[in-house]
Amino acid sequence: MPNPWTGVGNPYTREEVIERLRDTLSKGEAIIAAGAGTGISAKFIEKGGADLIIIYNSGRYRMMGHGSIAGMMGYGDANATAMEIGEFEVLPVVKEIPVICGVHCTDPRRRMWHWLQQVKAMGFSGMNNFPTHSIIDGDFRQQLEETGMGVHKEVEAVALARKMDIFSIVYVASPQEAKDMAEAGADVIIAHVGCTVGGSIGVTDAAISLEGAASATQAIIDAGKSVRDDVIYLSHGGPIATPADAAFINERTDAVGFVGASSLERMAVEESLTDLTRQFKAIPLKRVGQSVASG
């Protein structure tokens, strides 16, 4: 399904993205979507066989050495950052798999229909609701909702994307949000069970266990299925940080894959760079015991 104008895969239509995901499932393979904050990450995520690449503003902070939660803060224009990463780093190097743009749907400065047109025109093959206010709780969440910047704006943006025939893969953190997104026309729903645990800048303790994550994921899936039966469900976050963890969730729920951002991009860099640097530091010297000064 290559694009006849560019000679490469992107962009894909909504129907083409869904067809590709269904084809993956028909082969008995899990769907893997991966966040990318740099072009080189995207290049090798594609080489590893991921089904989708998602561009988040948090990817930039993550690859700068900061926690992904920085993407939820007012440190910059989330929409502009995702667009920039896509335009200058990821879209030029990804050859075949669909690239999805993270959209901060609650930004009151954006006319969402206009922004989604720009996302599509840039060559993205869909949209994702990130930064998402679904993972905010407490008084701050209530105030966001009361002042018109709540999750309902994300649901509205997904409904608009469906009307514009743009593929959508969305985060939800509760069964009610799953219902709302299914009603809005979301194509893929991601059960978000918290910030990813582990690594040098991840959270240290999950709010729930892996078993609890499986229960929470299935509750979200059941709620979405009560509205529509054609939605694809994936897992993300919290204690689900390794391939074994994602397999645990797939085996115990109706999720058919995993979305990895920190668990793929950041942790891969942390582990491989540390190990490789140690290997280089361990290389032998020819003149063992001879000081530099005596030479």
Side-chain angles (χ1 to χ4, degrees):
M1 296 174 284
N3 185 311
W5 290 278
T6 64
V8 297
N10 285 290
Y12 292 97
T13 66
R14 173 178 169 268
E15 291 76 16
E16 287 171 338
V17 177
I18 295 171
E19 180 183 341
R20 290 172 63 88
L21 298 181
R22 295 291 181 192
D23 182 60
T24 292
L25 295 177
S26 72
K27 296 174 183 176
E29 299 175 359
I31 294 170
I32 301 299
T38 67
I40 196 164
S41 296
K43 192 172 188 176
F44 287 93
I45 285 168
E46 177 174 39
K47 189 174 181 179
D51 298 285
L52 298 172
I53 289 175
I54 309 177
I55 307 304
Y56 310 104
N57 74 317
S58 62
R60 171 153 294 171
Y61 297 110
R62 182 165 56 243
M63 300 312 287
M64 289 168 63
H66 308 301
S68 297
I69 198 70
M72 298 293 296
M73 306 301 289
Y75 299 145
D77 185 332
N79 283 309
T81 298
M83 184 70 78
E84 182 181 78
I85 295 171
E87 179 178 8
F88 297 113
E89 297 193 50
V90 173
L91 287 169
V93 300
V94 172
K95 301 302 182 185
E96 200 267 327
I97 64 176
V99 179
I100 310 302
C101 186
V103 175
H104 195 187
C105 307
T106 60
D107 186 341
R109 305 166 300 170
R110 303 282 183 184
R111 295 167 293 162
M112 197 47 54
W113 63 270
H114 183 253
W115 186 248
L116 289 176
Q117 284 180 334
Q118 294 181 62
V119 166
K120 193 171 184 178
M122 182 55 65
F124 288 102
S125 296
M127 63 85 71
N128 166 262
N129 61 325
F130 194 89
T132 175
H133 292 184
S134 68
I135 60 175
I136 298 172
D137 58 13
D139 291 340
F140 186 41
R141 170 67 177 272
Q142 181 178 343
Q143 291 172 31
L144 286 170
E145 299 289 345
E146 291 176 354
T147 54
M149 291 176 281
V151 175
H152 68 281
K153 298 297 291 186
E154 299 176 28
V155 175
E156 290 173 5
V158 169
L160 186 57
R162 182 60 180 264
K163 185 176 181 180
M164 297 170 69
D165 202 31
I166 297 172
F167 172 80
S168 61
I169 173 170
V170 301
Y171 286 117
V172 304
S174 72
Q176 184 58 54
E177 290 167 1
K179 285 185 177 182
D180 293 342
M181 285 297 193
E183 289 172 353
D187 298 302
V188 179
I189 290 178
I190 310 163
H192 196 308
V193 295
C195 292
T196 302
V197 174
S200 66
I201 50 177
V203 298
T204 56
D205 295 302
I208 56 176
S209 64
L210 200 55
E211 291 79 4
S215 297
T217 297
Q218 189 59 47
I220 284 171
I221 294 172
D222 289 340
K225 283 185 173 182
S226 72
V227 177
R228 285 172 40 219
D229 60 6
D230 62 336
V231 179
I232 294 170
Y233 294 92
L234 308 177
S235 65
H236 173 80
I240 317 169
T242 68
D245 297 335
F248 181 95
I249 300 298
N250 273 10
E251 291 165 357
R252 290 161 176 78
T253 72
D254 293 329
V256 294
F258 174 72
V259 177
S262 292
S263 53
L264 266 166
E265 183 179 42
R266 172 172 62 80
M267 291 187 187
V269 171
E270 289 179 359
E271 294 171 7
S272 62
L273 281 181
T274 300
D275 291 343
L276 187 58
T277 302
R278 285 172 177 161
Q279 291 175 39
F280 272 112
K281 282 294 294 179
I283 62 175
L285 290 178
K286 184 176 182 181
R287 299 179 180 180
V288 179
Q290 182 175 357
S291 70
V292 174
S294 66

